[in-house]
Amino acid sequence: MQHLDQAVAGAHAKLERRIQGYLRSSGLKPSCHKGCYACCHALVTLGLAEAEYLRARLSPQILARTERVGHARLEAIARGKGQPDFPTRYFLGAHRCPLLDEAGACSAHPYRPLACRGVLTELNPRYCAPGAVLRLRGRARLEYEHQLRGHHGPEHYLKIPWQRSEGLAQRLWEQEQAIRGFTVIGELATLIYFCGLEGFQQALKRGARATQLYLRSAGVLGGAWGFWVG
């Protein structure tokens, strides 16, 4: 849907402007750089409009890999969706994002979701690696905690960019609900995988209830961290 593509592109551009404005006003300079991908092991949640937008812009090779990964993650989501610590365990499992190229750069960087755009830090990026903060002990732990300021949270990530990405994601979901009638929210690779399935596309055409039934049959609907339709 053209209107949804425009809404996604507009939300991405708005977040970039807001983040750059915040960084200028605060005097903060992110340490994130191309090839720095430790945070790209986290559970990435996005809405259907962003998944469709991203899927249409992936190279055939990256799309094929993302679909394979998405299919493989179905079981993990079905098993862990109701467990409060699922995102933490998922991150500690070091599940590399399928959008990363061999050099560790995001192959879809201009089109990456809002959830990815809001993750920034100005501290040493070694803290972003799965389990890095949990493993800190003694002097190393004290050194880490001494660097934390009011603009951080959660942990060493910049609070304001993260909050603004969440706020814009919520508004994008509301826009999609107004245009499509509902949205689907779920894990990045798995949702992109579903978008390539004829059964899922047919369910989308029939509406929210049919889509809920489809995702329930796949085992991923509901729970604190499963897919959501509404």
Side-chain angles (χ1 to χ4, degrees), residues 9 42 48 84 106 168 208 229:
L48 180 57
C106 179
L168 281 169
V229 180

Side-chain angles (χ1 to χ4, degrees), residues 61-104:
Q61 179 183 5
I62 296 297
L63 175 57
R65 182 168 67 200
T66 302
E67 289 182 323
R68 289 194 300 272
V69 170
H71 179 262
R73 288 181 181 175
L74 277 170
E75 184 179 349
I77 295 172
R79 186 173 58 249
K81 64 183 181 180
Q83 300 170 6
D85 63 342
F86 177 61
T88 300
R89 289 189 294 102
Y90 185 96
F91 182 57
L92 293 177
H95 300 281
R96 181 184 170 102
C97 178
L99 303 183
L100 292 172
D101 62 22
E102 299 307 316

Side-chain angles (χ1 to χ4, degrees), residues 107-130:
S107 63
H109 193 265
Y111 316 113
R112 68 199 188 282
L114 293 163
C116 301
R117 295 169 187 265
V119 179
L120 295 169
T121 185
E122 90 286 19
L123 299 188
N124 193 312
R126 73 172 185 272
Y127 294 130
C128 302

